[in-house]
Amino acid sequence: MKQQTLFSLLAATLLASSLQANETAALEPVKVTASEIHERDDIKLDSPTNLYRVEKTAEAGTQVFTKADIDAYAPKDFFDLMDKAVGLDLTYQGRKSPFFLNMRGGGNITYIIDGAILPSTSNRILQKIPMSAIEEIQVIRGSTALYLGPSIGIGASNSGSGINTGFIVIRTKQPKKTEGLISAYAEKAGDHPSANGENIFVGTHLGSVESGFSGYIGGLVSRYDRPSQDTWFDGSDAQSGMITGGVTFGRFNINLMGYKDEGRFEMQRGVTVTGALDNSKWYYDPINTKIISSDMGMQWSESQNTLFSIFSTQYNQKEIAESFANNSHSEKTYEEKTNGYSLRHSARFGDTLIQLGGQSTNSKGFGPNLSSSYNRFDTSVLGWSASIEQKLFGGDVILDAGYRQDQKHINNSSTSTTKDSANNDVDMAPARVIALGALWNITPMFSLNGRYFQGTEGTGGDFDLKTQDGSVLHAEKQKRTEIALEAKIASYFKPTLTWFNVDFNNQKSASSNTYTDTDGNIYYYYTEADSLRRGIELAFKGKSNGFDYLIAWTHMTDISTTNVSGVTTDYIAIENPEDSFTGKVGYTWNNYRANISAKRVSEYHQSTSAMGTAYAVNLGDYTRVDANIAGDFKLSNLTFTAKLYGRNLGDEQYATRYTTGYYYDRGRTLGLELSMAF
């Protein structure tokens, strides 16, 4: 509490002193000239210096959230923003693994922050990342850009039970000039206690591009507190800090980033179908993250470029289990560390681009985590990729092809003390992936592109995945096809129609039946089945005369599984929504901005978790509307901004998962954010 009070006083004092120092100056509208804007080359989608460059044929399946986009949505946190992305749906439960992002109906997503590949604990890491630390987010649907990261999950001995279906790449903020930003907000939802937070960012640029030597350095500190009441128990808080810096000398550049946070996260109480509150009082306190990353680039010539990155992540949590019904208390601690590096070289020969890359990660973990009461692992993933991109007919046709292989090595992996001496020094069967793409610019207005992906997981999964009848689990196989028709009819009307098909073989899922091992640990039996996800996406976007908009509809035409007996089960509107709509409209006039966004998810009635499957429950079926209006004013060399915002203006009490009960949204939230930039 003392830290929060001191932070609030510091932010308030800096704002007040700046106002006092300039009290005689007149307020002026903000005017930004082109010379003041420095666009980072390393975040352009097709730049050879971009560590996460995607093929031209994959750009249709990539959505980019710029800093301006993030400000326009005014999200509560990272996952709230991702729920606004096209084809992504967020589900939430007040349990140990709280957030799930479904990409076009499901799948595994790999998260990357400035080159650091996050482990499976990412859904507990990312909810604390301050939005003010982020400059850009790439949502890459389809994961056919093979050199971005491993095709299988890093961490414990399993491979995430499948091949990745997409990447989300987060790029942190770098100063564009000598600049600073101080911001503070307060918000309230219904009868809940008020939430508040503050952020301070300062940074500067050194040298100049023209001189051949330039650099930057910046730092951010942030905190927030979102308290709760016992009838909900969904509060959280965090304090975080980030340091970033970089140097460019001639054709060589290096960037560094260090991030650290500490917080508390409460697991919301479920409300059963009878209206009773679950008595579990579970929370993480503390829950900590450390990330260090660095990337280096050498542009040998205009057509030859080498990129290298290295990273380290550390995550630890103390899980506390209590009860609202009695005085029971227990504590569990878990820690996970991951280190890795990647090397990539791009070579262009005329209209031919060749990219070669390799990556290595090592992960170590120890302690109880999620439903496992014991974990001890030391695993590595070594992978490499090669791709070629060819322009034909002056760039009217672009073809690409790629191959990737990842192999997981188990130095040690056990979920029981009696197995610590087992499963040592084992190479799992490698995962292999091929990807093909084609883009045809039919006319300057219309283009057609297609992507194909085929991969095998290589291994049947974790050593401890067992079937109830003793049958063997097989390696997952995946085939994905995506075809998109894009039109650039005018700056105010750019529609895109996409058809996608994802075909899984041997997809793993936990059954509702359990078994107990010799140490008394309880595990779920697993089953495997073939599954199919198919659908269409229709999106419209454009800009004109101060207006900008994005409207998208994702419609699932098939979500089904076929078990080993050949029985097919349809899950559309049962365990997954059939339709999802997302949209945003913004308008800018003078020094004012207004935005309104909406998300519509159709109903579904089944929810599966480690506790089993809940049937005939009411999930989804909501329309959430958010809005904000902001004004900028200049006072001497300072820019002041006031933003009034609201989330879930319709006060919808909706839930997206049922485990120990429904986990309802807090409802209508109103807030005010004040900031000062220089």
Side-chain angles (χ1 to χ4, degrees), residues 23 38 50 54 58 70 106 128 136 183 205 411 444 504 514 531 547 584 600:
E23 60 185 358
H38 170 72
N50 188 345
V54 298
I70 296 172
K128 305 190 304 299
E136 181 184 276
S183 65
H205 247 275
N411 300 310
F504 295 90
T514 63
S531 68
F547 281 99
K584 183 188 77 71
R600 168 67 187 170

Side-chain angles (χ1 to χ4, degrees), residues 65-75 81 131 134-137:
F65 288 87
T66 65
K67 184 61 180 173
D69 294 327
I70 296 172
D71 291 341
Y73 280 104
L81 176 66
M131 299 279 51
I134 299 174
E135 183 155 330
E136 181 184 276
I137 300 174

